[in-house]
């Protein structure tokens, strides 16, 4: 969607950290470490126990960071995420009713898609951007091929993105990338350091 402020923000930040944690407290700790490393957008997945509490806590703790909800599988979860203060929502799948619900609620929404048919259906349905998932199964060249017929569709590859390939994904046309496992493992100091390395690999200096 041309001129969308959320998309502009996401494109500037380049990396969306994905937090899947064993508890809301662990999610809070990880989120703070990620933010200290300079990453300005993160999502807490609803597979995390107490995800809504973690989203609310992170929103209060990190006012300069864009906090969203991941693994949103249905409307009640979307509504819970919105009530917790989530700035956006992400799903691993495409459900056009959920796309419509997000538009109705005014929540920027990234449904999951993989095939050209799914990408186009999500975009025509009103998605803010498309989560290309699982990205590791197709690679940056697949995204570059999608950009041919869909040059105006913002796509966020997720799944298997890491320090070694983040630049390739961005060069292939990703508006931003979603990174989970390779970023959020280890203690807070390790996570913070990895966030800084990822930003450098993505061509954006921490704090820049």
């Amino acid at each position: 969607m041309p001129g969308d402020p959320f998309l502009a923000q996401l494109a500037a930040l380049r990396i969306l950290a994905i937090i899947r944690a064993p508890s809301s407290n662990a999610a809070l700790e990880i989120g703070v470490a990620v933010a200290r490393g300079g990453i300005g957008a993160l999502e807490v997945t609803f597979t995390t126990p107490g995800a809504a509490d973690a989203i609310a806590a992170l929103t209060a703790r990190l006012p300069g960071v864009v906090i969203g909800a991941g693994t949103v599988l249905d409307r009640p979860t979307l509504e819970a995420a919105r009530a917790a203060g989530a700035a956006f929502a992400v799903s691993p799948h495409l459900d056009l009713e959920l796309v419509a619900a997000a538009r109705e609620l005014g929540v920027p929404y990234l449904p999951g898609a993989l095939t050209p048919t799914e990408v186009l259906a999500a975009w025509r349905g009103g998605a803010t951007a498309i989560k290309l998932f699982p990205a590791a199964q197709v690679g940056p060249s697949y995204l570059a091929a999608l950009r041919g017929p869909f040059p105006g569709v913002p796509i966020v590859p997720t799944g298997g993105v890491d320090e070694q390939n983040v630049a390739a994904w961005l060069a292939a046309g990703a508006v931003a990338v979603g990174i989970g496992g390779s970023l959020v493992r280890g203690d807070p100091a390790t996570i913070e350091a990895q966030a800084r390395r990822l930003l450098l690999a993505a061509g954006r200096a921490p704090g820049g």
Side-chain angles (χ1 to χ4, degrees):
M1 297 176 183
D4 185 288
F6 170 76
L7 272 182
Q9 191 172 35
L10 191 60
L13 294 171
R14 297 192 184 177
I15 293 176
L16 168 60
I18 301 168
I19 299 173
R20 194 182 305 276
S23 69
S24 59
N25 286 339
L28 178 59
E29 185 177 72
I30 293 168
V32 169
V34 165
R36 283 179 178 162
I39 290 177
L42 61 88
E43 69 176 74
V44 178
T45 71
F46 263 80
T47 54
T48 298
D53 292 337
I55 290 167
L58 284 164
T59 299
R61 180 81 173 268
L62 305 170
V65 177
V66 185
I67 312 292
T71 320
V72 174
L73 302 182
D74 51 38
R75 180 165 183 143
T77 305
L78 178 64
E79 291 175 346
R82 181 173 179 266
F88 63 92
V90 184
S91 297
H93 71 303
L94 174 59
D95 178 339
L96 291 176
E97 291 185 3
L98 200 49
V99 176
R103 285 177 60 82
E104 176 191 331
L105 295 171
V107 179
Y109 180 55
L110 290 73
L114 186 64
T115 68
T117 299
E118 292 169 342
V119 168
L120 185 58
W123 186 240
R124 283 181 172 170
T128 308
I130 312 302
K131 171 182 176 175
L132 183 67
F133 179 80
Q137 305 306 309
V138 290
S141 62
Y142 181 81
L143 173 59
L146 283 177
R147 300 298 297 162
F150 307 128
V153 179
I155 296 177
V156 181
T158 305
V161 182
D162 57 26
E163 185 181 347
Q164 283 67 49
N165 61 30
V166 61
W169 280 110
L170 292 167
V175 66
V177 296
I179 303 180
S182 66
L183 169 60
V184 301
R185 296 192 190 101
D187 60 25
T190 299
I191 293 169
E192 180 179 343
Q194 177 63 4
R196 293 180 184 279
R197 288 193 297 271
L198 277 165
L199 285 172
L200 289 171
R204 188 173 76 82

